[in-house]
Amino acid sequence: MTLVQSRRREAVRTEARGPVLVVTGMKREAACAMAEGVVVLCSGASVARLRVELDRLHGRRFSAIVSFGLAGGLDYALRPGDIVVADAVVSNGARHETHEHLSGALAEAIAAKGCKAVSGAIVGVDEPAMDTMSKAWLRESSRAHAVDMESHLAAEYARDWKIPFVALRAISDPASRALPPLAAKALTPEGDVDGKIVARELLRAPRQIGELILAGLDSRAAFGSLGRCGPLLGPLARLMLADL
């Protein structure tokens, strides 16, 4: 079989099985994952909006679903830029196991890219965990390594439609660090950071600037890891699931 024939055969398989759906909260996260054979859904950090957008898919065929983006750290051993490849997503007493074969392949590929990959649970929440007390409660109640606002809904959708599911999240704010209050207000519905809101909130409460600088440094490390790992999602998922 020639290279051209091989690529055509892979294209036919991808079309038959459907693209990989990547669920994110921010446009910058989405940009790290965009590639051929990948459909990206960005929630704008709104659980309500993500529910609506998932409902609009109406059971569209996907080969896999990936929750991808930043997460808050719950495990004190995790630093900004470390990647949690979830073995399960927990939320409101429910536990959704991830696809073991695909998760293992992603963890190996991430490590090969020079990122620290850790296996563990991710807890999904409907409101951001902004302070260390909230993170401590989530850690004790869920035994999870990280927290985000998209993984639990992506996991539910994958379960309902019987689609392989994985979650790959880069630690941004570690367990020992709180986020400035303006972080909960600065995202637009499209998933962008609104600079005007940031400036307005800093004028109202200038003491947030120290926390904002630290949060910026943490997110830089996290986005560096996402930039290295994002291009793996579509090709690796299709490769590992081709024979299933």
Side-chain angles (χ1 to χ4, degrees):
M1 181 183 297
T2 67
L3 178 60
V4 172
Q5 289 173 324
S6 178
R7 287 179 175 174
R8 285 177 178 170
R9 184 175 181 180
E10 177 60 27
V12 170
R13 282 186 177 182
T14 299
E15 184 177 354
R17 295 184 60 85
V20 175
L21 175 65
V22 177
V23 178
T24 73
M26 301 172 62
K27 273 192 173 180
R28 191 176 174 188
E29 297 167 341
C32 294
M34 286 181 177
E36 183 179 355
V38 170
V39 172
V40 180
L41 186 60
C42 181
S43 73
S46 168
V47 167
R49 187 177 301 110
L50 181 55
R51 289 187 191 279
V52 171
E53 293 300 323
L54 287 171
D55 285 343
R56 285 177 178 170
L57 294 175
H58 294 295
R60 178 179 170 184
R61 184 187 297 273
F62 294 104
S63 57
I65 296 180
V66 183
S67 173
F68 178 78
L70 305 183
L74 301 181
D75 182 343
Y76 283 106
L78 297 177
R79 312 309 309 157
D82 292 347
I83 301 285
V84 177
V85 181
D87 57 13
V89 171
V90 296
S91 179
N92 297 323
R95 181 180 178 90
H96 306 281
E97 303 291 336
T98 59
H99 193 280
E100 183 178 3
H101 187 47
L102 182 53
S103 294
L106 278 170
E108 290 182 8
I110 290 166
K113 286 287 186 178
C115 300
K116 179 181 177 181
V118 176
S119 177
I122 290 176
V123 58
V125 295
D126 289 354
E127 298 293 335
M130 302 290 292
D131 56 74
T132 55
M133 289 185 63
S134 297
K135 291 180 182 180
W137 183 84
L138 286 169
R139 182 175 57 253
E140 293 302 316
S141 61
S142 68
R143 302 299 177 184
H145 285 51
V147 55
D148 72 62
M149 294 174 60
E150 294 83 36
S151 289
H152 58 312
L153 298 189
E156 290 172 5
Y157 186 87
R159 176 203 63 199
D160 291 344
W161 293 98
K162 296 179 174 56
I163 304 169
F165 168 73
V166 293
L168 186 159
R169 290 279 168 166
I171 299 300
S172 183
D173 49 302
S176 60
R177 190 166 296 157
L179 288 170
L182 66 80
K185 304 176 182 179
L187 272 188
T188 69
E190 293 74 32
D192 288 317
V193 176
D194 191 323
K196 291 182 180 179
I197 293 178
V198 173
R200 183 191 70 198
E201 293 300 315
L202 285 177
L203 285 173
R204 289 180 177 178
R207 291 183 179 180
Q208 295 181 86
I209 193 166
E211 292 179 331
L212 183 63
I213 291 172
L214 290 174
L217 293 172
D218 291 342
S219 68
R220 180 184 299 179
F223 276 114
S225 295
L226 292 182
R228 291 192 292 274
C229 300
L232 300 170
L233 300 179
L236 188 58
R238 291 194 299 273
L239 176 65
M240 301 305 296
L241 298 172
D243 297 325
L244 292 183

